[in-house]
DNA sequence: TATTTTAAATAGTATTACTATTATAAACTA
DNA sequence: TAGTTTATAATAGTAATACTATTTAAAATA
């Protein structure tokens, strides 16, 4: 018997908490699978409702629109990552070690986490790579930010930036560097798979995640020391 | 009397060359203004057609769909930037100087270029910040890449990577570093304006573009030396 | 048991993205 | 120059999408 956890999600991310009902959990589980497969543009509430034997209108009771659902999923992912970093850097003092652990967790190939049986983290991590920028690259970014929809990403950014400040309190750009690196971690994987002339990381070679780790670690360490 | 130029655009970016007709040039000019104002999601061919006193169907004779139009505009921007870098680094030998010029051109606040009277480069540069990632973060990225739609960005990336190779031929990640920096240049501006806790760059202070230049230059120089 | 509250389904509408067909104008040819 | 071809753009659609008002069903409470 394994315990399961629930990540605390901001109330403004949903109309009705999808973690509290059967239908809600189905919406989350199936939307991760479908957005991964057909992409966010191709994904609709109608298609989703069909797959889970419900109706479009019922899905709308949980999420205002499909954009908000995406924001929810991406926020869940960042919360999950931050939880893992907290868990794995607990009791570690050396900030260099903490940085390495954070970068390792950030870049490692994700696999299903039994603590959260409703979410396929492998599929979700692919969604983060392809779709996460779309959560804030909109005209409503300021409203969405105001009600805290991007707290997950900002909190993670602060966490890693704080490690960097421990290593070098003189460095002028801890947050800028970390936000750049968090983005680059996903971008470089996307490039290596689809636009390979933009990166030396090679998706055809083994251990793409480790290549990514080495690249990002080089950038960060050189920048701050 | 000032000469005007035409940037050479890949044939697959359009159905009919918009630079060759009056209606085509109107489509380009007005779509830059409108996407900047209402965002790519809110932008439709119907609204555009109304503004230029034409019809939706006529716009479709030039571009297969609104996504292709966006790809065209972004490609134009990267071609323009590369043209400016070529022009300004001509006859300069010192690769450090060339790098500085490239980063300066990349980060400087854009203003209308009289060489290209049909395009409002200031508005277009805002579009690049908010919308450019959407050109390739799609399920058709491989098809689009196959027919050369992203050549502009890739060519620019190679150009700057070649400068970095001149400075340090031993550095393992010239393309990965440059693609990261090209993206970060836009992201950091967006963050400073909309998600300020993600960066030390301050949109409220003067010379945001120079702050951005200093940040990116620090990252690049430290990474490669 | 009756009543209130909540949840989900039915049945829509307005808008969007896109297209087949027709009309008009320009260019070429006999 | 009259007739024919070709190019261009407008008309008039359709199918799909995003979203909502209303109704029905189920559950909780008094």
């Amino acid at each position: 018997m394994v315990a399961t956890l629930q990540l605390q999600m901001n109330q403004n991310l949903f109309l009705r908490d999808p973690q509290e009902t059967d239908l809600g959990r189905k919406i989350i589980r199936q939307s991760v699978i479908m957005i991964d497969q057909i992409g966010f543009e191709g994904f609709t509430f109608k298609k989703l409702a069909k797959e889970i034997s419900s109706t479009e209108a019922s899905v709308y009771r949980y999420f205002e629109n499909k954009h908000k659902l995406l924001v929810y999923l991406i926020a869940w992912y960042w919360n999950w990552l931050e939880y893992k970093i907290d868990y794995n850097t607990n009791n570690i003092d050396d900030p260099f070690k903490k940085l390495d652990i954070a970068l390792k967790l950030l870049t490692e190939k994700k696999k299903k986490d039994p603590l959260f049986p409703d979410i396929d983290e492998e599929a979700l991590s692919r969604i983060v790579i392809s779709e996460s920028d779309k959560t804030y690259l909109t005209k409503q970014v300021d409203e969405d930010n105001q009600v805290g929809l991007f707290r997950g990403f900002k909190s993670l950014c602060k966490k890693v930036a704080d490690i960097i400040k421990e290593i070098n309190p003189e460095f002028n750009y801890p947050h800028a560097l970390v936000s750049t690196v968090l983005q680059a971690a996903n971008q470089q994987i996307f490039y290596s798979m689809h636009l390979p002339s933009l990166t030396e990381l090679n998706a055809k070679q083994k251990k793409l995640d480790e290549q990514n780790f080495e690249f990002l670690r080089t950038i960060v360490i050189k920048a701050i020391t």
Side-chain angles (χ1 to χ4, degrees), chain A residues 54-103:
Chain A
S54 179
T55 65
E56 226 185 324
S58 302
V59 179
Y60 273 103
R61 309 213 133 250
Y62 287 82
F63 294 98
E64 215 179 312
N65 50 49
K66 72 171 185 170
H67 181 255
K68 285 279 167 67
L69 171 54
L70 179 66
V71 176
Y72 179 96
L73 296 177
I74 302 294
W76 190 95
Y77 180 88
W78 297 124
N79 285 351
W80 176 61
L81 244 192
E82 186 172 358
Y83 161 80
K84 297 216 296 181
I85 291 175
D86 278 340
Y87 188 88
N88 286 282
T89 57
N90 190 26
N91 295 325
I92 290 180
D93 287 327
D94 179 3
F96 284 97
K97 266 190 190 161
K98 281 199 277 190
L99 180 63
D100 264 17
I101 290 168
L103 287 179

Side-chain angles (χ1 to χ4, degrees), chain A residues 17-222:
Chain A
D17 189 343
Q19 297 193 101
E20 278 186 347
T21 67
D22 240 31
L23 180 59
R25 285 184 290 269
K26 268 192 208 167
I27 289 171
I28 298 303
R29 189 184 320 132
Q30 190 62 24
S31 63
V32 168
I33 290 162
M34 289 180 75
I35 294 173
D36 177 40
Q37 277 175 0
I38 62 180
F40 184 64
E41 274 68 41
F43 171 82
T44 70
F45 279 3
K46 190 165 222 159
K47 290 178 191 168
L48 169 64
K50 199 181 167 194
E51 287 295 318
I52 60 177
S53 304
S54 179
T55 65
E56 226 185 324
S58 302
V59 179
Y60 273 103
R61 309 213 133 250
Y62 287 82
F63 294 98
E64 215 179 312
N65 50 49
K66 72 171 185 170
H67 181 255
K68 285 279 167 67
L69 171 54
L70 179 66
V71 176
Y72 179 96
L73 296 177
I74 302 294
W76 190 95
Y77 180 88
W78 297 124
N79 285 351
W80 176 61
L81 244 192
E82 186 172 358
Y83 161 80
K84 297 216 296 181
I85 291 175
D86 278 340
Y87 188 88
N88 286 282
T89 57
N90 190 26
N91 295 325
I92 290 180
D93 287 327
D94 179 3
F96 284 97
K97 266 190 190 161
K98 281 199 277 190
L99 180 63
D100 264 17
I101 290 168
L103 287 179
K104 207 85 195 174
L105 288 168
L106 180 66
T107 53
E108 77 179 357
K109 191 156 166 39
K110 308 299 183 299
K111 33 188 183 237
K112 263 223 67 26
D113 187 336
L115 284 175
F116 306 96
D118 283 323
I119 297 210
D120 179 344
E121 288 83 0
E122 203 180 321
L124 182 55
S125 78
R126 284 189 294 265
I127 293 176
V128 169
I129 288 170
S130 306
E131 319 287 0
S132 66
D133 292 350
K134 297 171 190 170
T135 58
Y136 59 82
L137 293 175
T138 69
K139 285 283 170 188
Q140 338 106 51
V141 57
D142 297 322
E143 292 164 54
D144 287 354
N145 184 39
Q146 194 106 42
V147 296
L149 302 197
F150 307 121
R151 242 172 248 165
F153 187 71
K154 294 197 287 191
S155 170
L156 178 63
C157 183
K158 181 182 178 336
K159 173 142 288 149
V160 184
D162 284 343
I163 300 175
I164 282 173
K165 282 188 209 165
E166 276 191 74
I167 295 176
N168 179 2
E170 309 295 310
F171 181 62
N172 283 325
Y173 307 103
H175 294 85
L177 177 64
V178 172
S179 61
T180 298
V181 164
L182 287 174
Q183 287 293 349
N186 292 318
Q187 265 158 28
Q188 293 295 312
I189 299 297
F190 188 92
Y191 291 159
S192 72
M193 295 196 301
H194 301 291
L195 302 164
S197 74
L198 295 175
T199 181
E200 281 73 24
L201 308 204
N202 191 334
K204 285 169 187 157
Q205 286 182 342
K206 288 205 171 161
K207 297 178 179 168
L208 181 58
D209 52 327
E210 288 181 25
Q211 297 173 50
N212 202 17
F213 173 78
E214 290 303 330
F215 165 62
L216 296 174
R217 193 176 183 278
T218 303
I219 301 293
V220 173
I221 293 292
K222 290 216 178 181

